[in-house]
Amino acid sequence: MHDAPLDTQHPRAASAPARAAIRLTGLRALRGLAPVLLLLAVVLADLLIPGRLHAAPVMAAVPVLAAMTLPVWATAVLACTALAATGLLQWSDGLWGRPASDMTLMSVSLVALVGLGACALRRSRERELRQVRSVAEAAQRALLHPLPRRLESLELCGVYLPAEAEARIGGDFYEALPTPHGIRVLIGDVRGKGLPAVGASAALLGAFRELAYREASLAGLARGLDESAGRQIATMEEGAGAAEPRALFTERFATALLVEVPRDEPVARFVHCGHPEPLTIRAGRVHGHVAEPPGAPLGLGDLIGTPQVEQTVPFAPGDRLVLYTDGFIETRDRDGRFHDLAARARIRATQPLAALVTGLRADLLKHADGDLDDDAALLVLERGRAGEPGR
């Protein structure tokens, strides 16, 4: 499974892609040599084994192996080399011109042609896959902007883990913006999978980036996002041809948590929209903040009718806020036990910020045995101490 970090503060983060690239290059070189080594092995085996045993028919495997690992031109060169080597081996064994020799040459020729066709198809699919990945990476950069390491007095560090190994984007989303009303942060999770979830995430992030500057109150910002999500649901249902209004709402709403950190007050304000409670780390202790009352998920406000209520908690210099999606608490181990994020945060509460995030990520992957069932995002905010310079 691949992970897409929100931030790369950890000193080893930059070198990890380089090490992975080196390993991948070595593996590709080894795979490229495999058909050449097989060709040489067949020639040696045929020359060394007793007269009635002939290894030349195994030469048909050379173009097949080449087609799996090499470009078309290299596959063609090896196929021709294999065919020529087969003919020479047949001649040296005194089999040239016999029916068995003709059948061997025909078999190698046919397999070589099929291998060339398969190689051309594979290369075409690889080009298409590279294009798709390029588009996905561009979409990720547009959808999930890389978060800065520091926003005014806040230091940020986090990680995003898609459940699908080849995924670049998913249904979890996040954003942090310095606004006239303070630093505002959004983290959320769209219910649903695939492109509809990505589309809903994009719509909500776009609305947040606009409303965060306009709305004076955090509750007003939450209401604006709920209206935007409602319009997104209606559009999706209309496109899907839903027979009844809101027939598809169960797969189209989003849980979210809105956070506001005022510049001149040692507090943080929350608005819960059906999202897991945030955690505060203060003086090495972890505190959870349950919504009172719990707010409705974005897109369901007009159905449930629960008002969006602001909650204020202390957030002094040196304190940390841990924001996360449900992938960090609903992931189960082999025995069916949920991951206890709060417990892991208590163990790592005194670690530096980057080490804390790296450790929590490792704890989740270890608990899931490296196989996540859902996307998981985590973002930790640390408030700088008075007079502390930006880093």
Side-chain angles (χ1 to χ4, degrees):
M1 183 182 56
H2 302 289
D3 60 299
L6 308 187
D7 189 40
T8 55
Q9 295 182 19
H10 197 274
R12 297 181 182 175
S15 60
R19 292 196 300 269
I22 293 173
R23 289 195 298 268
L24 183 59
T25 302
L27 180 60
R28 285 176 176 171
L30 182 61
R31 289 188 304 177
L33 286 174
V36 178
L37 296 176
L38 177 61
L39 188 149
L40 295 175
V42 172
V43 171
L44 290 175
D46 193 87
L47 293 175
L48 296 177
I49 60 178
R52 290 192 176 184
L53 297 176
H54 304 286
V58 183
M59 196 69 74
V62 172
V64 173
L65 189 57
M68 296 170 58
T69 59
L70 297 176
V72 176
W73 68 267
T75 301
V77 169
L78 276 173
C80 292
T81 304
L83 185 60
T86 302
L88 290 174
L89 290 175
Q90 296 292 302
W91 176 80
S92 67
D93 291 338
L95 300 177
W96 183 264
R98 296 183 182 181
S101 174
D102 294 340
M103 287 298 299
T104 299
L105 290 171
M106 289 178 60
S107 298
V108 174
S109 301
L110 181 60
V111 171
L113 291 174
V114 173
L116 284 171
C119 182
L121 180 60
R122 175 181 63 84
R123 298 290 289 181
S124 175
R125 294 292 176 85
E126 288 176 350
R127 286 192 295 271
E128 292 177 2
L129 181 58
R130 284 194 296 268
Q131 292 174 353
V132 169
R133 285 180 174 174
S134 176
V135 172
E137 289 169 358
Q140 182 189 39
R141 289 192 294 270
L143 180 60
L144 299 181
H145 296 165
L147 293 180
R149 297 184 179 185
R150 195 173 184 89
L151 277 177
E152 300 178 5
S153 65
L154 286 184
E155 190 173 356
L156 298 87
C157 187
V159 67
Y160 176 74
L161 299 168
E164 296 296 332
E166 297 301 325
R168 295 295 188 271
I169 49 179
D172 291 5
F173 55 92
Y174 53 83
E175 183 61 286
L177 300 171
T179 75
H181 317 289
I183 297 173
R184 287 179 167 176
V185 180
L186 170 69
I187 186 168
D189 179 10
V190 172
R191 296 304 183 187
K193 301 292 183 181
L195 290 178
V198 174
S201 299
L204 288 172
L205 283 171
F208 174 74
R209 289 162 182 158
E210 178 67 24
L211 294 171
Y213 292 92
R214 291 202 331 234
E215 292 290 343
S217 71
L218 202 60
L221 173 56
R223 287 191 293 270
L225 289 176
D226 180 71
E227 294 173 359
S228 176
R231 289 192 295 269
Q232 181 76 5
I233 290 171
T235 301
M236 288 182 175
E237 289 177 346
E238 182 179 354
E244 298 179 3
R246 301 283 176 162
L248 300 179
F249 79 90
T250 55
E251 291 297 324
R252 295 294 184 263
F253 67 86
T255 66
L257 179 71
L258 288 162
V259 181
E260 180 180 275
V261 181
R263 294 180 174 86
D264 54 355
E265 298 178 69
V267 300
R269 301 187 181 97
F270 305 132
V271 172
H272 297 72
C273 301
H275 200 74
E277 64 184 56
L279 305 175
T280 300
I281 300 177
R282 182 180 303 113
R285 295 189 175 185
V286 178
H287 310 271
H289 302 284
V290 180
E292 299 176 0
L298 299 179
L300 302 183
D302 58 341
L303 292 179
I304 298 177
T306 304
Q308 307 289 3
V309 179
E310 291 186 16
Q311 181 179 359
T312 302
V313 300
F315 188 46
D319 292 350
R320 293 170 174 173
L321 284 176
V322 181
L323 316 177
Y324 54 92
T325 59
D326 57 11
F328 261 90
I329 57 173
E330 295 183 356
T331 296
R332 297 176 185 263
D333 62 11
R334 292 183 176 180
D335 297 325
R337 294 172 296 191
F338 288 111
H339 182 243
D340 193 342
L341 176 63
R344 303 309 305 176
R346 291 188 191 98
I347 295 173
R348 302 183 179 277
T350 59
Q351 293 180 341
L353 182 60
L356 169 67
V357 172
T358 301
L360 293 177
R361 171 190 177 277
D363 291 340
L364 176 66
L365 292 177
K366 181 179 179 181
H367 183 83
D369 196 22
D371 185 17
L372 295 179
D373 294 328
D374 192 11
D375 298 341
L378 178 137
L379 177 62
V380 182
L381 316 176
E382 180 175 344
R383 192 160 202 170
R385 290 177 171 82
E388 182 180 14
R391 285 174 285 179

